[in-house]
């Protein structure tokens, strides 16, 4: 995974809430994430996207049926 634009911050991470759409998240972060995983099973779609900074700090956001389900971060400031 390589960084794909302007660094993201902890303040941006904290604005992301359960139930938001991918477009909502993209609007907060100002760039697309990298799709890391995608599963579709019995009418349920799950996707995990990662956003990474140049120094390696990153966030992972899980979407369930198009909405934020969970989020994690490592090293954001």
């Amino acid at each position: 995974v390589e960084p794909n634009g302007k660094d993201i911050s902890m303040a941006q991470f904290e604005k992301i809430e359960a139930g938001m759409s991918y477009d909502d998240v993209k609007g907060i972060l100002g760039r697309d994430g990298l799709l890391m995983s995608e599963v579709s099973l019995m009418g349920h779609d799950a996707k995990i996207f990662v956003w990474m900074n140049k120094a390696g700090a990153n966030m992972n956001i899980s979407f369930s049926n198009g909405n934020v389900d969970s989020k994690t971060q490592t090293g954001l400031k």
Side-chain angles (χ1 to χ4, degrees):
V1 178
E2 293 191 19
N4 60 345
K6 186 176 170 185
D7 279 355
I8 50 176
S9 68
M10 178 60 87
Q12 288 170 301
F13 175 80
E14 290 172 345
K15 290 179 183 177
I16 298 166
E17 299 178 0
M20 288 183 164
S21 70
Y22 177 86
D23 287 339
D24 293 335
V25 172
K26 182 180 170 184
I28 291 169
L29 301 178
R31 60 180 163 116
D32 283 305
L34 179 65
L35 181 62
M36 297 298 291
S37 174
E38 182 174 14
V39 176
S40 184
L41 183 63
M42 296 175 58
H44 179 81
D45 295 316
K47 295 180 181 180
I48 299 173
F49 287 86
V50 65
W51 283 262
M52 182 174 282
N53 290 345
K54 294 172 190 73
N58 65 81
M59 75 169 66
N60 292 307
I61 302 182
S62 299
F63 292 84
S64 178
N65 290 329
N67 298 310
V68 172
D69 185 1
S70 66
K71 63 181 185 173
T72 62
Q73 65 84 26
T74 303
L76 293 180
K77 296 179 183 177

